[in-house]
Every structure is written in structure tokens, then in C-alpha cells.
């Protein structure tokens, strides 16, 4: 009698554990920029007063939906979309898939394009991303602001995807998927190793050969799904402390002005350096010095 009771109890406990594990869906963070959206080739198309801006923000929203659909198919139950471009008010709320929450506008905080991230997420996805400042055959390439020529941490020159992946890596979360132009896809693979990418366009000088937006959406949906189903494959992106950031800026008055940030040092005509043991302090410094 007692033995049967114990056996039943064990069944109940293991059953409940298996149930709660399968019930705990993935929590996914999607950061969406605009320069790397399908079709976009010109600043006018990503600027609020540009004539074609409203058209491309629709494409941006649909491309985000494709990522959400892929995530849902792979078992995501909690999805945060971070609008990460310009005003951070581009994605059309009522066109966005209802299974995601949308984080709009800038908080003023240093996490910037990664605002909203914390240790509770399982995976990070980048949509519409672009290459770092100075990349050839890349669309609308830059790094955070028009003032930055280059940012490196511990000798590694980083695009926005690299900076944002380090913030995710701080919380032990891997970046598993990126879409954008071919140049940023290549930079992401070089930096992170294992990552699923979809190049929606290929730069030829400052022109681009584009996929049809619908084809791009199909590939993004499949790519996100594939990545999230193989989550164990991906590692959080990390660099070893202590951290040395070297920032190269375009204007001399900015180099002078930003050299007053506590701990910053002018290390060249166009160059500032900042050292810290804590990655988040480096990110705060970058946010104020760029
Ligand atoms: Zn942008």
C-alpha cells in the first residue's frame, strides 16, 4: 500500500516537472533598426520627413512580424520588440503582431538599442541592422551617431550589433539571429561565430541589390525559427575584463568636449580612451562620449 503511494507520488512529481518545463516558453528580445530593412538604400527613407519614410516603416513593421512569427513557431511565449532607430518611434503599433510588446522612444539610459533587456531573456534577435562606420559596399553604415569613426573594446572594432551583443552577453544571453545587409551579416559572423543571418540586400557602393520584401520576410521567419529551435548552439558574446574602449570621433571639438567624461583620456588627435573593469561602466561612458 505504502509502496504504491510512493510510486504514485513520484509519478506526480516528475509529471508536474515535465509539464512546467514544457510550459516555460522562450522569452525573446528583438531589437529593430531601420537601415538594414529590405529596400532601404537612402537616409531620406529612414528619416521622419522623408517622402518614402511611411512606406518603409510599414516594411520595417512587417519584417519585425516575420521575426515574431518565427519565434512563436519555435515556442516563444514572451516577446519584447525594441524600436531602435532614429526617434525609436517607427514601428506601427497596430500593425505589429499582437503577441509582442513594443518598447518605444529613448529612455535616456545607456542600454539604448537594448533598453528593456535583463537576465530573464533566453535569446536576442537583431532585425534591420547595418554595418559599422567606414564599411565599404554597405548601406547607410555608421556606428550609433554620425560622430563616431570607430569604437573598439579590447582591440575589437565593433558595429552596433557588437556593442548590443556585449550588453546581451553581460546578462548571459546569446544573439542568435541577425538580418540586414550582407556587410553586417559578415561582420556578425566574424564577431560571434555561430549566428543565423539573413542578408536582405547586398551593397554595391551605396546602391543595393534587394530581395523582394515578401521573400525577405519568409527567410527571416524561417531563420528565426531555426535559430530558436537550436538555442544551445549559440554562446553569449563576451570579451574578457578589464575593458579598454578606444573611441575615434570625427570632430576635434567633440574629442575635446568628451575628454572631460570622468575617466576618459585623450590618446590621439581624434581619439579617446576609457578603461574599466565593469562592462556596464564602459557602456555608460560610450553613451556619453559618442
Ligand atoms: Zn538606425
Amino acid at each position: 500500500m505504502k509502496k504504491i503511494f510512493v510510486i504514485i507520488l513520484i509519478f506526480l512529481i516528475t509529471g508536474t516537472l515535465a509539464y512546467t518545463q514544457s510550459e516555460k516558453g522562450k522569452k525573446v528580445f528583438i531589437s529593430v533598426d531601420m537601415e538594414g530593412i529590405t529596400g532601404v538604400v537612402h537616409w531620406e527613407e529612414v528619416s521622419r520627413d522623408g517622402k518614402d519614410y511611411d512606406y518603409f516603416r510599414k516594411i520595417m513593421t512587417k519584417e519585425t512580424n516575420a521575426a515574431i512569427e518565427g519565434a512563436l513557431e519555435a515556442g516563444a511565449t514572451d516577446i519584447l520588440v525594441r524600436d531602435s532607430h532614429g526617434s525609436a518611434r517607427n514601428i506601427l503599433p497596430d500593425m505589429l503582431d499582437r503577441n509582442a510588446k513594443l518598447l518605444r522612444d529613448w529612455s535616456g539610459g545607456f542600454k539604448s538599442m537594448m533598453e528593456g533587456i535583463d537576465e530573464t531573456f533566453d535569446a536576442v534577435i537583431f532585425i534591420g541592422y547595418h554595418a559599422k562606420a567606414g564599411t565599404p559596399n554597405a548601406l547607410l553604415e555608421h556606428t550609433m551617431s554620425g560622430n563616431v569613426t570607430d569604437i573598439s573594446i579590447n582591440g575589437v572594432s565593433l558595429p552596433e550589433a557588437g556593442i548590443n551583443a556585449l550588453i546581451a552577453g553581460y546578462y548571459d544571453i546569446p544573439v542568435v539571429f541577425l538580418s540586414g545587409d550582407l556587410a553586417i551579416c559578415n561582420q556578425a559572423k566574424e564577431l560571434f561565430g555561430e549566428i543565423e543571418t539573413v542578408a536582405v540586400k547586398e551593397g554595391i557602393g551605396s546602391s543595393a541589390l534587394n530581395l523582394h520584401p515578401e521573400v525577405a520576410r519568409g527567410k527571416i521567419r524561417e531563420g528565426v525559427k531555426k535559430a530558436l529551435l537550436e538555442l544551445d548552439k549559440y554562446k553569449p558574446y563576451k570579451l574578457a575584463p578589464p575593458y579598454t574602449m578606444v573611441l575615434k570621433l570625427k570632430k576635434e571639438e567633440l574629442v575635446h568636449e568628451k575628454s572631460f567624461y570622468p575617466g576618459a583620456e585623450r590618446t590621439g588627435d581624434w581619439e579617446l580612451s576609457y578603461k574599466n573593469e565593469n562592462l556596464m561602466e564602459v557602456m555608460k561612458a560610450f553613451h556619453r562620449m559618442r
Side-chain angles (χ1 to χ4, degrees):
M1 192 64 180
K2 265 186 185 167
K3 244 183 194 168
I4 287 170
F5 178 72
V6 170
I7 289 166
I8 290 171
L9 197 67
I10 287 168
F11 265 110
L12 279 175
I13 290 169
T14 50
T16 316
L17 275 177
Y19 179 74
T20 47
Q21 267 174 6
S22 68
E23 276 304 281
K24 195 208 160 279
K26 296 175 186 101
K27 190 171 177 183
V28 178
F29 186 96
I30 307 179
S31 172
V32 189
D33 206 347
M34 197 169 186
E35 291 85 344
I37 293 295
T38 310
V40 167
V41 293
H42 198 279
W43 285 112
E44 233 178 62
E45 296 167 345
V46 297
S47 312
R48 296 192 79 77
D49 356 320
K51 198 167 176 289
D52 295 322
Y53 168 75
D54 282 331
Y55 171 72
F56 283 105
R57 70 195 291 202
K58 274 187 200 143
I59 306 265
M60 180 191 191
T61 309
K62 287 183 184 175
E63 227 149 272
T64 308
N65 282 345
I68 295 168
E69 283 158 23
L72 291 169
E73 283 169 18
T77 50
D78 204 336
I79 301 171
L80 188 154
V81 170
R82 179 12 167 187
D83 192 326
S84 296
H85 170 77
S87 63
R89 291 181 276 114
N90 311 281
I91 290 170
L92 298 161
D94 72 339
M95 256 186 72
L96 190 69
D97 189 298
R98 56 183 295 151
N99 292 290
K101 284 183 181 157
L102 175 60
L103 182 55
R104 308 182 72 228
D105 211 337
W106 301 114
S107 66
F110 68 94
K111 288 186 199 170
S112 187
M113 300 172 79
M114 296 301 281
E115 193 60 80
I117 192 99
D118 61 26
E119 65 287 343
T120 63
F121 286 87
D122 297 299
V124 166
I125 285 162
F126 295 151
I127 301 293
Y129 268 50
H130 55 81
K132 67 183 177 184
T135 307
N137 296 316
L139 279 306
L140 309 182
E141 66 357 295
H142 65 281
T143 309
M144 290 293 186
S145 73
N147 302 324
V148 175
T149 318
D150 186 61
I151 175 196
S152 70
I153 297 179
N154 294 3
V156 183
S157 174
L158 297 164
E160 291 172 12
I163 295 155
N164 295 341
L166 280 174
I167 295 177
Y170 178 83
Y171 296 106
D172 285 325
I173 307 162
V175 179
V176 302
F177 179 92
L178 178 148
S179 70
D181 68 353
L182 181 63
I184 185 57
C185 289
N186 289 339
Q187 284 174 4
K189 281 183 207 152
E190 206 171 296
L191 284 175
F192 314 142
E194 199 71 65
I195 181 168
E196 196 69 32
T197 63
V198 169
V200 301
K201 55 190 167 187
E202 181 180 351
I204 304 170
S206 52
S207 69
L209 184 61
N210 288 271
L211 294 180
H212 187 280
E214 226 170 271
V215 174
R217 290 199 285 274
K219 284 177 183 276
I220 288 168
R221 179 178 165 164
E222 282 311 309
V224 167
K225 183 180 172 184
K226 181 169 182 269
L228 289 175
L229 286 175
E230 300 171 343
L231 203 50
D232 295 343
K233 237 168 65 171
Y234 306 94
K235 286 184 187 64
Y237 182 55
K238 288 170 187 281
L239 296 170
Y243 303 99
T244 301
M245 171 179 74
V246 176
L247 191 57
K248 294 190 170 80
L249 299 175
K250 275 180 194 160
K251 292 181 189 154
E252 197 186 10
E253 67 263 33
L254 276 172
V255 179
H256 184 65
E257 184 193 324
K258 306 294 181 181
S259 71
F260 294 103
Y261 184 84
E265 221 185 305
R266 188 164 177 170
T267 43
D269 288 344
W270 310 102
E271 187 187 285
L272 295 163
S273 296
Y274 177 87
K275 290 188 175 85
N276 205 296
E277 282 283 329
N278 185 330
L279 183 69
M280 291 298 108
E281 292 306 316
V282 177
M283 292 300 165
K284 284 178 199 168
F286 177 53
H287 186 66
R288 298 296 294 277
M289 287 163 68
R290 71 192 193 210

